[in-house]
Amino acid sequence: MNRSSADRLRRLRWALTALFTAVNAIGLVAFAWFMISEDADKGTERIDAELLRVTSSVSRLVGYDAAIDLSLVNTDVLNEQCPQFAILPGGAAGFQAHLSRRTCVPVDAGVLDGLATEAVRGGTVVTGYQRGTGGELVQVRAEPLLSRTGKPFAAVVAVEDTAAASAEHTRFVLLVVGGCALLVTALGFAGHVLSGRSIRPAASALQQQEVLLAETAHDLRTPVAALRALAETAMLDPAQRTDLLPRTVRLAARMGGIIDDLLVRARLAAGVEQLSIQPVWLDQLVAGVVEDTEPDGAQVTVTTAPTKVNADPALVQRAVGNLLNNALRYGRQPGAPAIVHVMVAGGTVTVADHGPGIDTTVTEDAFDRFASTGGSSGLGLSIVRWVAEAHGGTLSVYNADEGGAIFELRFPVSAV
């Protein structure tokens, strides 16, 4: 199935959004994994540091000569604090084991004795994890006690519950995961906005192309039909060719003007048309446009006063020509020739006609494509407005008290 250009642009926007979001999501996931791993390691290190503090402190308090001396240990505040500890012979010379008076987490005595035995036999510190009697995961550290000769005679076993650290780590994980989810959502939205902005020039160009095609079809439909009718009549009735040929030429010229207007309209809207600003005598330019325009039986009067403006003469000529052609074509009463008055003064070009006027409720629409004051496409008037705005001027229209429409095209007056 063939897809329209607009559909392809929408698919491209979603593809760019997905790509932007995926790349950022991968980066966030990697960062989150690193942060979670670091937090887990820090939790383990904090417990291990606490266990080291206890075993080291107890080691300094234990005395050993001919027999073990626990008098200092019995009076120390470590007996009342967590982590809990135990001093066990671990298979060395027998003595009565010492357990700290506070039980922070219940652990089987056999487990503690096994850790002490491993530390005494190996003469090294033993660390790891064990299960408490209630199934709790605990972190342990068994440090051998050495006599003056360097021989292990007992071991200090410290135990710390990991539940608090695990709960804190779980909260951190949830915070990181939730934050990443929010960031991915925000990045997805930002990516959608940015992708929309990135394809906006293409969408604008596509819209201008579609508008140009629509305007071309709309504006050329009537003259093409008329031109075909004239040609078919001339083919069927050779006697009318002499009369039909001038009408055909005028109609072809009108179609050429419409095409020129469409091209200027497209170039202006797309930003391709560059203004060539220079000092221009507006009164002389308007007089030249009126002189070069075929009145087709209309009565055209021109009143000018010297006026210099900074403008693009080619665009100003087209704008004034469009206003004049609009007045000649639609500014007349039925069955009567057009009467048009053109005035130039103070940077303003005024074109007044004696036609039916313009509906004030749709004045603004008269400057848009497909709108008209009497059957035209309104393309010429929209070009006039764009030319005015491009020069920092304005285009306004109102009806005269005695009838007819009045268009005022204003340009900033040159200071020179």
Side-chain angles (χ1 to χ4, degrees):
M1 181 179 64
N2 294 329
R3 298 183 182 273
S4 66
S5 299
D7 290 336
R8 289 195 294 270
L9 282 178
R10 281 192 291 269
R11 289 172 61 87
L12 175 61
R13 182 179 184 183
W14 283 110
L16 291 175
T17 300
L19 178 62
F20 179 83
T21 305
V23 170
N24 284 279
I26 292 173
L28 283 174
V29 168
F31 179 73
W33 177 85
F34 173 77
M35 293 293 293
I36 291 173
S37 299
E38 284 291 307
D39 185 74
D41 292 340
K42 287 180 179 179
T44 301
E45 291 171 0
R46 284 196 299 269
I47 297 177
D48 192 59
E50 281 294 302
L51 296 176
L52 174 61
R53 178 183 64 83
V54 172
T55 57
S56 299
S57 299
V58 172
S59 297
R60 289 192 297 269
L61 294 175
V62 174
Y64 183 82
D65 192 2
I68 190 169
D69 181 9
L70 301 177
S71 59
L72 294 177
V73 176
N74 289 324
T75 59
D76 196 270
V77 295
L78 289 174
N79 287 284
E80 311 294 339
Q81 298 176 350
C82 291
Q84 68 195 56
F85 67 91
I87 303 175
L88 303 171
F95 65 90
Q96 187 175 1
H98 173 82
L99 301 177
S100 58
R101 287 186 287 273
R102 183 174 180 180
T103 302
C104 303
V105 55
V107 181
D108 186 80
V111 173
L112 298 179
D113 190 61
L115 292 170
T117 300
E118 184 179 354
V120 170
R121 289 179 178 177
T124 59
V125 176
V126 177
T127 61
Y129 294 90
Q130 296 291 334
R131 289 288 177 182
T133 55
E136 307 91 343
L137 182 65
V138 296
Q139 191 169 338
V140 297
R141 177 183 176 88
E143 182 176 334
L145 299 176
L146 304 178
S147 66
R148 293 177 181 177
T149 61
K151 182 179 179 180
F153 64 89
V156 181
V157 182
V159 179
E160 175 76 329
D161 190 2
T162 62
S166 297
E168 184 178 351
H169 179 65
T170 300
R171 287 193 296 271
F172 180 80
V173 170
L174 292 177
L175 179 63
V176 171
V177 172
C180 286
L182 289 176
L183 282 176
V184 169
T185 302
L187 287 171
F189 177 77
H192 192 64
V193 173
L194 291 175
S195 62
R197 291 185 176 181
S198 65
I199 67 173
R200 186 174 298 170
S204 178
L206 177 61
Q207 182 181 12
Q208 294 301 326
Q209 179 186 10
E210 292 176 349
V211 168
L212 179 61
L213 292 175
E215 289 177 346
T216 302
H218 184 276
D219 283 84
L220 293 180
R221 184 181 295 111
T222 300
V224 166
L227 189 63
R228 179 178 179 179
L230 290 175
E232 291 176 347
T233 302
M235 290 178 60
L236 296 175
D237 190 358
Q240 298 188 43
R241 291 179 182 177
T242 302
D243 179 58
L244 295 177
L245 184 60
R247 295 172 58 187
T248 302
V249 172
R250 288 195 299 270
L251 191 56
R254 178 185 170 191
M255 292 174 60
I258 291 175
I259 293 174
D260 290 341
D261 280 346
L262 288 167
L263 293 176
V264 172
R265 154 73 170 88
R267 293 173 65 84
L268 282 173
V272 176
E273 191 75 35
Q274 300 295 324
L275 299 180
S276 178
I277 302 297
Q278 56 186 282
V280 175
W281 286 103
L282 187 60
D283 55 304
Q284 298 177 10
L285 184 147
V286 172
V289 172
V290 174
E291 183 178 351
D292 294 339
T293 301
E294 176 63 44
D296 195 20
Q299 178 183 342
V300 182
T301 60
V302 182
T303 304
T304 62
T307 299
K308 181 182 286 188
V309 297
N310 291 323
D312 184 321
L315 289 180
V316 174
Q317 282 180 338
R318 179 165 294 278
V320 174
N322 286 352
L323 284 180
L324 183 58
N325 288 329
N326 184 79
L328 292 174
R329 186 174 299 120
Y330 305 107
R332 65 177 70 194
Q333 296 295 334
I339 301 176
V340 180
H341 305 287
V342 181
M343 293 171 287
V344 182
T348 300
V349 179
T350 304
V351 179
D353 60 53
H354 285 228
I358 185 171
D359 187 351
T360 56
T361 61
V362 294
T363 299
E364 189 66 22
D365 293 337
F367 300 146
D368 294 332
R369 64 185 181 95
F370 305 145
S372 68
T373 59
S376 71
S377 69
L379 178 62
L381 295 181
S382 67
I383 290 177
V384 176
R385 182 177 64 175
W386 289 328
V387 171
E389 292 176 349
H391 290 82
T394 60
L395 173 64
S396 57
V397 58
Y398 53 92
N399 291 323
D401 294 337
E402 62 275 12
I406 299 178
F407 290 86
E408 290 185 351
L409 176 60
R410 298 183 181 87
F411 296 99
V413 179
S414 174
V416 181

